[in-house]
Amino acid sequence: MRTHYCGDVTEALLDQEVEICGWVHRRRDHGGVIFIDLRDREGLLQVVFDPDREDAFATADRARPEWVLKIRGKVRRRPEGTANANLNSGQVEVLGLGIEVLNQAKTPPFQLDEDDVGEDVRLRYRYVDLRRPEMQQHLVTRAKVTSFMHRFLDENGFLDVETPMLTRATPEGARDFLVPSRLHAGSFYALPQSPQLFKQLLMMSGLDRYYQIVRCFRDEDLRADRQPEFTQLDVETSFMDEDQITTLMEKMVRDLMHEVAGIELGDPFPRMTYAEAVERYGIDRPDLRIPMELVTVSDLLTDVEFKVFAGPANDPRGRIAALRVPGGEALTRKQIDDYTQFVGRYGAKGLAYIKVNDPSQGAEGLQSPILKFLPEAAITGILARTGAQAGDLIFFGADKAKVVNESLAALRVRIGHDLDLLEGDWRPLWVVDFPMFEYDEGDGRYYALHHPFTAPSVETIEDFQAADPEALISRAYDLVLNGTELGGGSIRIHRPELQSAVFERLGIGAEEARDKFGFLLDALEYGAPPHGGIAFGLDRLVMLMAGASSIRDVMAFPKTQTGACLLTEAPAEVDEAALRDLHVRVRKPQRS
Amino acid sequence: MRTHYCGDVTEALLDQEVEICGWVHRRRDHGGVIFIDLRDREGLLQVVFDPDREDAFATADRARPEWVLKIRGKVRRRPEGTANANLNSGQVEVLGLGIEVLNQAKTPPFQLDEDDVGEDVRLRYRYVDLRRPEMQQHLVTRAKVTSFMHRFLDENGFLDVETPMLTRATPEGARDFLVPSRLHAGSFYALPQSPQLFKQLLMMSGLDRYYQIVRCFRDEDLRADRQPEFTQLDVETSFMDEDQITTLMEKMVRDLMHEVAGIELGDPFPRMTYAEAVERYGIDRPDLRIPMELVTVSDLLTDVEFKVFAGPANDPRGRIAALRVPGGEALTRKQIDDYTQFVGRYGAKGLAYIKVNDPSQGAEGLQSPILKFLPEAAITGILARTGAQAGDLIFFGADKAKVVNESLAALRVRIGHDLDLLEGDWRPLWVVDFPMFEYDEGDGRYYALHHPFTAPSVETIEDFQAADPEALISRAYDLVLNGTELGGGSIRIHRPELQSAVFERLGIGAEEARDKFGFLLDALEYGAPPHGGIAFGLDRLVMLMAGASSIRDVMAFPKTQTGACLLTEAPAEVDEAALRDLHVRVRKPQRS
């Protein structure tokens, strides 16, 4: 219907006749002439209608924002001084010769260039929201990212293989979305949380290298920026070890960032063990742009009388860590109170601090409510170990290590942003040597830190069974960028007896293992190759690359925090007959 | 872990040392030497172990089929007369120097080269089944097909955009799979039967050109070769008419077939109206490789006394059609009885026929139980119109047109295969000018032949409302290849008042339309561009290209006809607690 996209009409087409289709972005009447900025996916183009072409002028005069027009006209240079350097088409305009109204439009619920539209309205009228150039650019970036991934992986011998969406419920994971079966009364499919077992089965099928850009589902309580359905790039290979897999995936990410977004990530990405990450940053996905680090000072405080410190200092599961804030002396009482409240969300019962006015004067040069509780030696030790400078402030976390790590990790990021301390734009990091298991005191059992199919770093079942479960290291690896986990994976267990031993350690007995994972245990018996893989969260990756502020902005039709689609009003009630076919009924709400 | 794939070791590597990994395809002991055919994704390689390397020999001697080995060895030419022309590596073999057992394997449930393994066993042990080179080749073809589609559509300015899987139930379609919502008690998501409305909304969002390779779901009773979840290539564009869309898609299919499978489809594909297809073949997806056609002879039989013919000949909804079978005179009584039974499945109450021994002798040269009921003129007319030759047989369908069309269309295909009448390998066809509506006598209402968003060929609402519903033609198009529908699409309605009028004609009142499709009707009000698209069934397309005999053979993990996964045993019962979270309970089976 058209000869060109609006955004592609440039000086190269001067004096030519073009046909364009698009939406009325703006219409104005200026000096007896009608100006229409016509918009399509590629950009804006200014069209001018003179009154001497009566029919076209009359139609242009009637046109309103968001009407859909087809316009025929001649490309000419804009008058001196009226060029628009922000537009690809900004040197030219089109003199309108003909105009056809393809569709009219009601006044849209918000202006496309309005900034502070509520997200609910944007989601309700998503088809208007998605017309905004910024939103279109996000979807274009997303398409470029997946296109790059397909090309890179195809070229590297990976096969794009589809795995089922209607599958079996996963024990040992998040909550599943369930789908009642009509043909098998009382039975349910589950939507996949990931194709983990299927991709391992593909390796046992000899497919050698697999990938898939695949929808996954988790019925979890939605925190900000989580979606019930999300997309991952899922990869698995046989006969490669963790170095080979991470090296290849690192190349993919580096090339992707460079090619699609002009982002340079450096080569190679640094690596850090889980233990070091937690020690220095309190978290296994540190944002390396923030220069502050946690410093353990427990050993300096074992003998103090101050109970807040003495307890954690002498508890094997406790930790006292110092976080030195450069220039933090300037923090106000109110700011410190805010931070104290902030760490409270992570379970910290307080937030001790020392202002460092002049460290050369020892305790004299410091300012803190806790100074009186601390012996001189401890103070000197802390100043030396944190490398405190005049003008700094030192925060302390003292509690169970878990609480200290979580609260100071969050505080570090918050202060890093508040005080504008970030250095560098893009800081990738591989985190490796994760623990195999985490002990849950509440449940009184171990859980797999990654998943129960992750291989331990010990080779034999004897070494596995002899090891202290908390000391066992897994062959897992996570890729972190600017404090966001982009992806994670591991070498998997390929020997059936080791898989059984891991299940056992997780408290899954032989019978239960057979019931839940019988097909995997069987498959491991029939010649499973050594294999491993990784999965990347596509939504979050694109969000970072596109500079979007939420994953909802890089999805065409996202859901709200309660999992609702405001556009189609899903989920919705359904006919009783449909439920009867599926052998289920809705439970009556409990009386309160 | 390896230097080469097994299948890639050729004469180019003579005298080099290689490391290979793979599965033991065959092991044999021959003249005191062990031969192992090692298999990986790329093929087979023969490895020889001499007894003079004791350790390697001993390990090779222990190895059994499907063990996973890593072998180091030297490439050498096979002895004179032992080359295997069927293998890429068939000129060489590897002298084994080292061997490592990566994993052992139990004796597989079937041999990979066994031909008549039951499909249930194959599905239960899919990871063994998928090791067969033929199955791997199917998945490779599938990956090549999707890779081509991504490239072609990316290059043509289409954006790969993801649409939701957890969405709203579709009225007016097949049965939905439903997903109970935990956060919205008593409400359900539906899995999409297709992203139809979302892709239309993307056009209203100004995305201009969209595509997606997307999973779709239909909870229908599964006929042979249907799957509850299937994949389609889904495409939508704005500002293009049906000629432009079909031309571009035709180019994609032609280039795809050529590049991936070496199949040549001709240029351009022929086009045929729906009416012509039904008249000549009884069906809207004729297999043009079969030269036989249906010929209407109703008008020749209006005055006969033979009631079987007189009824349909005089019924406006009736039809009498003749199907001339070249050389059909040779059909036995038993074959004809079989065909009679066969058409009975389609509702035909009988299958009249005339054997044409010598048409030049008039009725004397014919042989048929119905001859005595037919006047000479009718017989002469039929012979002339069907072009019957000596040695032919003419079958007759006489009933409601629907029964005649369905039964003779099926019979035509069956006989075409039985008598080996197919001509040409690949016969694509665009079918166009479909009726808008079909009347269902049972329900006493019209249904949309495609879907209710398909545009009629009339432009204005006045023309639409004035037209006889059964005479209305839609702007839909289907692509057929060898009797299989590869894809179908249409120009969509982009004016809200016309969409409302179509809903009304389908018996969907204003209130119901608003309730079910309110978001679509709203979106049409805010500046919807003219748009249209198409969807291709990926599984069936790959099946044809790969020469597979079932769509299950081009899916990694297909389901059975009852929608079960024999490998993972999905669907399965779930914990009562999980159901309580979802606010549903299983209905007790009805007492019988």
Side-chain angles (χ1 to χ4, degrees):
Chain A
M1 283 196 195
R2 66 186 151 208
T3 58
H4 296 84
Y5 280 110
C6 295
D8 292 344
V9 174
T10 63
E11 288 168 289
L13 299 171
L14 275 179
D15 299 324
Q16 292 186 30
E17 204 172 292
V18 295
E19 290 187 336
I20 49 180
C21 295
W23 286 260
V24 175
H25 193 66
R26 259 185 299 268
R27 190 199 64 87
R28 57 196 190 281
D29 194 328
H30 188 70
V33 172
I34 309 267
F35 290 85
I36 287 181
D37 288 343
L38 200 70
R39 188 193 66 239
D40 64 19
R41 192 178 84 186
E42 303 300 322
L44 289 177
L45 177 63
Q46 176 168 294
V47 189
V48 184
F49 290 90
D50 287 332
D52 55 351
R53 290 176 197 277
E54 277 179 35
D55 285 359
F57 184 86
T59 305
D61 195 33
R62 277 198 306 132
R64 290 292 171 269
E66 302 308 314
W67 283 30
V68 187
L69 304 181
K70 177 180 176 180
I71 292 173
R72 183 173 56 80
K74 198 164 175 177
V75 182
R76 65 184 189 190
R77 194 176 295 281
R78 292 202 192 187
E80 195 84 25
T82 65
N84 181 344
N86 295 325
L87 295 182
N88 194 37
S89 70
Q91 300 298 318
V92 301
E93 62 187 14
V94 163
L95 174 65
L97 303 175
I99 180 170
E100 185 186 339
V101 176
L102 297 175
N103 216 346
Q104 302 195 0
K106 292 204 294 197
T107 304
F110 50 89
Q111 299 294 319
L112 296 203
D113 46 13
E114 226 174 301
D115 263 344
D116 56 347
V117 185
E119 192 172 16
D120 279 7
V121 179
R122 289 177 49 203
L123 292 175
R124 164 92 177 76
Y125 297 95
R126 190 62 160 179
Y127 43 89
V128 175
D129 188 41
L130 287 178
R131 288 182 199 165
R132 295 193 294 126
E134 179 193 337
M135 291 300 286
Q136 299 216 340
Q137 207 44 58
H138 291 341
L139 295 184
V140 168
T141 298
R142 186 177 181 117
K144 283 184 180 166
V145 167
T146 54
S147 177
F148 179 93
M149 287 170 170
H150 282 297
R151 262 181 295 128
F152 183 93
L153 292 163
D154 287 351
E155 282 165 12
N156 280 279
F158 287 81
L159 275 191
D160 184 354
V161 179
E162 294 185 67
T163 54
M165 293 278 124
L166 294 172
T167 177
R168 195 183 157 119
T170 330
E172 294 294 297
R175 204 186 277 110
D176 285 311
F177 281 103
L178 297 178
V179 184
S181 163
R182 184 171 54 86
L183 296 172
H184 301 264
S187 286
F188 294 78
Y189 301 99
L191 301 179
Q193 296 185 26
S194 90
Q196 182 63 34
L197 292 177
F198 287 109
K199 69 178 177 172
Q200 292 191 230
L201 290 165
L202 288 174
M203 294 304 101
M204 299 169 205
S205 306
L207 263 288
D208 204 75
R209 295 186 174 197
Y210 144 94
Y211 83 97
Q212 189 181 192
I213 296 175
V214 61
R215 201 70 55 84
C216 302
F217 304 84
R218 283 186 200 169
D219 189 9
E220 290 180 327
D221 289 317
L222 302 174
R223 285 179 268 165
D225 238 23
R226 280 260 183 116
Q227 288 280 315
E229 51 178 313
F230 56 97
T231 303
Q232 69 185 35
L233 169 64
D234 197 47
V235 172
E236 195 81 2
T237 80
S238 299
F239 307 117
M240 283 173 88
D241 65 21
E242 45 270 64
D243 278 348
Q244 294 167 322
I245 294 174
T246 54
T247 301
L248 185 61
M249 291 296 102
E250 177 176 322
K251 177 167 167 47
M252 181 185 74
V253 171
R254 187 184 304 112
D255 291 357
L256 167 70
M257 292 279 189
H258 168 77
E259 189 175 310
V260 174
I263 295 170
E264 308 303 332
L265 291 187
D267 180 6
F269 297 171
R271 274 156 199 263
M272 187 180 289
T273 66
Y274 173 89
E276 183 181 349
V278 171
E279 172 68 23
R280 292 173 60 188
Y281 306 103
I283 197 169
D284 57 0
R285 45 180 167 82
D287 186 341
L288 296 186
R289 294 174 305 172
I290 301 167
M292 296 182 287
E293 295 189 12
L294 276 59
V295 176
T296 299
V297 293
S298 313
D299 57 308
L300 302 174
L301 298 161
T302 45
D303 299 331
V304 301
E305 282 175 33
F306 184 41
K307 280 195 190 140
V308 171
F309 283 179
N314 291 291
D315 177 354
R317 292 199 184 258
R319 183 181 186 189
I320 307 176
L323 180 71
R324 180 175 69 84
V325 181
E329 190 197 30
L331 290 174
T332 64
R333 180 75 229 169
K334 162 129 192 13
Q335 284 173 304
I336 293 174
D337 285 349
D338 279 354
Y339 291 143
T340 307
Q341 206 165 26
F342 177 74
V343 295
R345 290 189 223 159
Y346 299 88
K349 289 181 286 287
L351 183 62
Y353 67 89
I354 297 176
K355 281 194 177 178
V356 182
N357 302 323
D358 182 354
S360 66
Q361 293 186 35
E364 294 301 298
L366 308 177
Q367 197 187 332
S368 164
I370 61 165
L371 275 186
K372 54 179 177 281
F373 303 120
L374 300 181
E376 181 88 23
I379 294 173
T380 319
I382 290 167
L383 292 179
R385 201 174 282 177
T386 56
Q389 313 273 323
D392 291 351
L393 180 148
I394 301 170
F395 280 120
F396 293 89
D399 207 315
K400 295 285 179 197
K402 190 169 145 66
V403 172
V404 170
N405 291 336
E406 288 181 3
S407 56
L408 289 192
L411 183 65
R412 173 180 170 272
V413 171
R414 165 115 190 243
I415 294 177
H417 284 92
D418 284 354
L419 303 190
D420 216 3
L421 298 175
L422 277 63
E423 295 171 357
D425 287 336
W426 300 99
R427 298 290 302 273
L429 175 72
W430 284 107
V431 180
V432 298
D433 291 351
F434 285 85
M436 258 316 259
F437 302 114
E438 262 180 334
Y439 190 73
D440 185 297
E441 307 214 13
D443 295 358
R445 57 161 280 196
Y446 288 102
Y447 283 93
L449 195 80
H450 276 79
H451 53 58
F453 319 111
T454 305
S457 56
V458 296
E459 294 249 331
T460 69
I461 187 161
E462 292 74 23
D463 289 345
F464 176 79
Q465 283 167 336
D468 168 9
E470 297 194 45
L472 271 171
I473 297 295
S474 76
R475 298 175 68 185
Y477 33 82
D478 278 4
L479 180 58
V480 176
L481 180 61
N482 293 358
T484 295
E485 186 192 321
L486 285 189
S490 63
I491 300 299
R492 326 299 183 187
I493 297 166
H494 71 285
R495 295 243 161 95
E497 64 279 7
L498 191 55
Q499 185 66 70
S500 294
V502 168
F503 283 148
E504 202 182 308
R505 178 69 76 208
L506 291 169
I508 305 172
E511 202 175 325
E512 190 184 352
R514 173 123 300 274
D515 181 43
K516 290 175 172 170
F517 300 107
F519 63 100
L520 176 72
L521 292 172
D522 281 348
L524 290 171
E525 300 270 10
Y526 285 105
H531 63 288
I534 194 166
F536 293 93
L538 185 71
D539 308 297
R540 211 158 293 276
L541 176 65
V542 175
M543 181 188 85
L544 285 179
M545 293 177 69
S549 50
S550 148
I551 57 169
R552 292 185 297 281
D553 282 352
V554 297
M555 305 174 82
F557 302 105
K559 295 193 172 63
T560 65
Q561 276 200 37
T562 65
C565 174
L566 298 181
L567 172 60
T568 60
E569 295 177 4
E573 291 183 14
V574 297
D575 287 348
E576 180 60 21
L579 296 183
R580 200 174 306 123
D581 281 352
L582 299 174
H583 319 286
V584 294
R585 66 172 87 236
V586 171
R587 271 170 209 267
K588 298 271 182 327
Q590 299 285 325
R591 281 193 212 126
S592 56
Chain B
M1 283 197 196
R2 65 186 151 209
T3 59
H4 296 85
Y5 281 110
C6 294
D8 292 344
V9 174
T10 62
E11 288 167 290
L13 299 171
L14 275 180
D15 298 324
Q16 293 186 29
E17 203 172 292
V18 295
E19 290 187 334
I20 47 180
C21 294
W23 285 258
V24 175
H25 194 66
R26 258 186 300 268
R27 189 197 66 84
R28 57 194 191 283
D29 194 328
H30 188 71
V33 172
I34 309 269
F35 289 85
I36 287 180
D37 287 343
L38 200 69
R39 187 192 68 237
D40 64 19
R41 193 178 84 186
E42 302 301 321
L44 289 177
L45 177 63
Q46 175 169 295
V47 188
V48 184
F49 290 91
D50 286 332
D52 54 352
R53 289 176 199 278
E54 277 179 34
D55 285 359
F57 184 86
T59 306
D61 194 34
R62 276 199 307 134
R64 290 291 171 272
E66 301 310 313
W67 283 30
V68 187
L69 304 180
K70 177 179 177 183
I71 292 173
R72 184 173 56 80
K74 197 162 176 180
V75 182
R76 65 185 189 189
R77 194 175 296 281
R78 291 201 192 189
E80 195 83 26
T82 65
N84 182 343
N86 294 325
L87 296 182
N88 194 35
S89 69
Q91 299 299 317
V92 300
E93 63 187 12
V94 163
L95 174 64
L97 304 175
I99 180 170
E100 185 186 341
V101 177
L102 296 174
N103 216 348
Q104 302 196 359
K106 292 204 293 197
T107 303
F110 51 89
Q111 298 295 318
L112 296 202
D113 46 12
E114 225 174 301
D115 262 344
D116 55 346
V117 185
E119 193 172 17
D120 279 8
V121 178
R122 289 177 49 204
L123 292 175
R124 163 94 177 74
Y125 297 93
R126 191 62 160 179
Y127 43 89
V128 175
D129 188 40
L130 288 178
R131 289 181 199 165
R132 295 194 294 127
E134 178 193 337
M135 292 300 286
Q136 300 216 339
Q137 207 45 57
H138 291 341
L139 294 184
V140 168
T141 298
R142 185 176 181 119
K144 283 184 181 165
V145 168
T146 54
S147 177
F148 179 93
M149 287 171 169
H150 283 295
R151 263 181 294 130
F152 183 93
L153 292 163
D154 288 349
E155 281 165 14
N156 280 280
F158 288 80
L159 275 191
D160 184 355
V161 179
E162 295 184 67
T163 54
M165 293 277 125
L166 293 172
T167 178
R168 195 183 157 119
T170 330
E172 294 294 297
R175 202 186 279 111
D176 286 310
F177 281 103
L178 297 178
V179 183
S181 163
R182 184 171 54 86
L183 297 172
H184 301 263
S187 285
F188 293 78
Y189 301 98
L191 300 179
Q193 295 184 28
S194 90
Q196 182 62 35
L197 291 177
F198 286 110
K199 69 178 178 173
Q200 292 190 230
L201 289 166
L202 287 175
M203 295 303 102
M204 299 169 204
S205 306
L207 263 288
D208 204 76
R209 295 186 175 197
Y210 144 93
Y211 83 96
Q212 189 181 191
I213 296 175
V214 62
R215 201 70 56 82
C216 301
F217 304 85
R218 281 186 201 169
D219 189 10
E220 291 179 327
D221 289 316
L222 302 174
R223 284 179 268 164
D225 239 22
R226 279 260 184 115
Q227 287 280 315
E229 50 179 314
F230 56 97
T231 303
Q232 68 185 36
L233 168 65
D234 197 47
V235 173
E236 196 81 2
T237 79
S238 299
F239 307 117
M240 283 174 87
D241 66 19
E242 45 269 65
D243 277 349
Q244 294 166 321
I245 293 175
T246 53
T247 301
L248 185 60
M249 292 295 103
E250 177 176 324
K251 177 166 166 47
M252 180 185 74
V253 170
R254 187 184 305 111
D255 291 357
L256 167 71
M257 292 279 190
H258 168 77
E259 190 175 310
V260 174
I263 294 170
E264 309 302 332
L265 291 186
D267 180 5
F269 298 170
R271 275 157 199 264
M272 187 181 287
T273 65
Y274 173 89
E276 183 181 348
V278 171
E279 171 68 22
R280 292 172 60 189
Y281 306 102
I283 196 167
D284 57 359
R285 47 181 166 82
D287 186 341
L288 297 187
R289 293 174 304 173
I290 301 166
M292 296 182 285
E293 295 189 11
L294 276 58
V295 176
T296 299
V297 292
S298 314
D299 58 306
L300 302 174
L301 299 161
T302 46
D303 299 330
V304 300
E305 283 176 31
F306 184 40
K307 280 195 190 142
V308 171
F309 282 179
N314 291 292
D315 176 354
R317 292 198 185 258
R319 183 181 185 189
I320 308 176
L323 179 72
R324 178 175 70 86
V325 181
E329 187 197 32
L331 289 174
T332 63
R333 180 74 228 167
K334 161 124 192 18
Q335 284 173 305
I336 293 173
D337 286 349
D338 280 353
Y339 291 142
T340 307
Q341 206 166 26
F342 177 74
V343 295
R345 292 189 220 158
Y346 300 87
K349 290 183 284 287
L351 183 62
Y353 67 89
I354 298 176
K355 281 194 177 178
V356 183
N357 303 322
D358 182 355
S360 66
Q361 294 185 34
E364 294 301 299
L366 307 178
Q367 196 186 333
S368 163
I370 61 165
L371 276 185
K372 52 180 178 284
F373 303 120
L374 300 181
E376 181 90 21
I379 294 172
T380 318
I382 289 166
L383 291 179
R385 200 174 284 178
T386 56
Q389 314 274 321
D392 292 350
L393 179 147
I394 300 170
F395 282 119
F396 293 89
D399 208 314
K400 296 284 179 197
K402 190 169 145 65
V403 172
V404 169
N405 292 336
E406 289 180 2
S407 57
L408 289 192
L411 183 64
R412 172 180 170 272
V413 171
R414 165 115 190 243
I415 294 177
H417 284 92
D418 284 355
L419 303 190
D420 215 4
L421 298 174
L422 277 62
E423 294 171 358
D425 287 336
W426 300 99
R427 296 290 302 273
L429 175 72
W430 284 108
V431 179
V432 298
D433 291 351
F434 286 84
M436 262 310 263
F437 303 112
E438 260 181 334
Y439 191 74
D440 185 298
E441 308 214 12
D443 295 357
R445 56 162 280 196
Y446 288 102
Y447 282 93
L449 195 78
H450 277 79
H451 53 58
F453 320 111
T454 304
S457 56
V458 296
E459 294 248 332
T460 69
I461 188 161
E462 293 75 21
D463 289 347
F464 176 79
Q465 283 166 336
D468 169 7
E470 296 193 46
L472 271 170
I473 297 293
S474 76
R475 298 175 67 186
Y477 33 82
D478 278 4
L479 180 57
V480 176
L481 179 62
N482 293 359
T484 296
E485 185 193 321
L486 286 190
S490 63
I491 300 299
R492 327 298 183 186
I493 297 166
H494 70 285
R495 295 242 160 96
E497 64 279 8
L498 191 54
Q499 184 66 70
S500 295
V502 168
F503 283 148
E504 201 182 310
R505 179 67 78 210
L506 291 168
I508 304 173
E511 200 174 327
E512 189 183 354
R514 173 124 300 272
D515 181 43
K516 290 176 173 170
F517 300 107
F519 63 99
L520 176 73
L521 292 171
D522 281 349
L524 290 170
E525 299 270 10
Y526 285 104
H531 63 287
I534 195 166
F536 294 92
L538 185 71
D539 308 297
R540 213 158 291 277
L541 176 65
V542 174
M543 180 188 84
L544 285 179
M545 291 177 69
S549 50
S550 149
I551 57 169
R552 292 186 296 282
D553 282 350
V554 298
M555 306 175 83
F557 302 105
K559 295 193 172 62
T560 64
Q561 276 200 38
T562 66
C565 173
L566 299 181
L567 172 60
T568 61
E569 295 177 4
E573 291 183 13
V574 297
D575 287 349
E576 180 61 20
L579 297 182
R580 200 173 308 123
D581 282 352
L582 299 174
H583 319 286
V584 294
R585 67 172 85 235
V586 171
R587 273 170 208 266
K588 298 271 183 327
Q590 300 285 323
R591 281 193 211 125
S592 56

